[in-house]
Amino acid sequence: MKIKGITVRLPPILLAATVFFAVMCAMTYGSTKDLIYIYIGLPLCALLIGFPLWMSYTNEKQVLREAPQYLQHAKLVRARQLSPTMRGNVVIVEGKVLKVTGLMMNKPSYLIQDPTGQLVVKRFALPDPLVGVGANVEVLGRIFGKATNAQSLYINALTIKPVAALRDVQDESQSDSEKIRIKKLN
């Protein structure tokens, strides 16, 4: 659904819970003929649907407004370069999506692989357009770590965009001694 040009999606679990609640209110009203179940049930169903849509809309609106500012400060990094000292930094990561979870609650988590390793990318809402397994993506986000494990890092994504091909960027962290040198024989 689009609200003022911003795509918002209702989580399937929430839709199922709202339908279940509405059916229970209707069944209870049918058996008791007490109008209180209609007077309370209908506004609660509207609230169950409306509040998450409003939250999703305001979040996406803020992301669209702030993404250009973050893009100016972002640095292209690879999975191997991530470290706990980088927490809070804004980065751009490119890679291929290996796994997607959390779609039922509109809080997707992506396992992304780039040439140097794998990393986890999380987002508050589904991206527009939707990105599936096998897609090459560019992620703009901020590095965070889990509170229980300081070494476990993930990227909280602002934007996840599909790209046609990944950039071939030479790792700055690779020293001259690590580079392979080929000599021509003859």
Side-chain angles (χ1 to χ4, degrees):
M1 157 185 335
K2 285 198 178 243
I3 301 174
K4 295 182 181 178
I6 297 174
T7 302
V8 293
R9 294 180 178 91
L10 194 62
I13 292 279
L14 181 63
L15 184 60
T18 304
V19 168
F20 176 76
F21 181 73
V23 167
M24 294 306 292
C25 284
M27 288 174 49
T28 307
Y29 168 73
S31 66
T32 64
K33 302 294 186 216
D34 190 0
L35 285 176
I36 193 73
Y37 294 107
I38 301 297
Y39 293 144
I40 292 177
L42 287 177
L44 285 177
C45 286
L47 188 64
L48 278 172
I49 297 289
F51 186 72
L53 285 177
W54 176 73
M55 290 293 292
S56 180
Y57 170 76
T58 57
N59 181 55
E60 288 301 311
K61 184 177 175 183
Q62 181 179 2
V63 164
L64 289 175
R65 186 177 63 236
E66 293 180 359
Q69 296 168 353
Y70 280 102
L71 193 56
Q72 292 175 354
H73 303 292
K75 177 183 170 189
L76 181 66
V77 297
R78 299 289 185 201
R80 180 178 60 183
Q81 294 173 324
L82 296 180
S83 67
T85 59
M86 295 177 71
R87 282 186 182 183
N89 290 351
V90 179
V91 296
I92 296 175
V93 177
E94 291 183 338
K96 184 175 184 175
V97 178
L98 297 179
K99 184 179 177 182
V100 181
T101 58
L103 295 177
M104 293 299 282
M105 289 301 294
N106 274 12
K107 297 192 185 321
S109 180
Y110 300 91
L111 180 62
I112 296 180
Q113 181 176 17
D114 71 2
T116 64
Q118 297 177 352
L119 58 111
V120 174
V121 173
K122 297 180 180 185
R123 193 157 193 285
F124 178 73
L126 292 174
D128 187 33
L130 290 174
V131 178
V133 174
N136 291 328
V137 295
E138 177 186 82
V139 177
L140 170 66
R142 189 178 293 263
I143 300 173
F144 283 95
K146 293 182 179 177
T148 56
N149 184 356
Q151 299 299 317
S152 180
L153 299 173
Y154 66 91
I155 296 179
N156 188 15
L158 283 172
T159 61
I160 300 174
K161 298 183 295 189
V163 292
L166 301 177
R167 288 183 232 177
D168 188 20
V169 177
Q170 184 77 309
D171 277 349
E172 295 139 6
S173 63
Q174 193 176 26
S175 67
D176 287 333
S177 63
E178 294 178 18
K179 293 180 184 174
I180 300 173
R181 302 199 185 269
I182 300 174
K183 286 186 177 180
K184 184 177 180 183
L185 300 173
N186 286 7

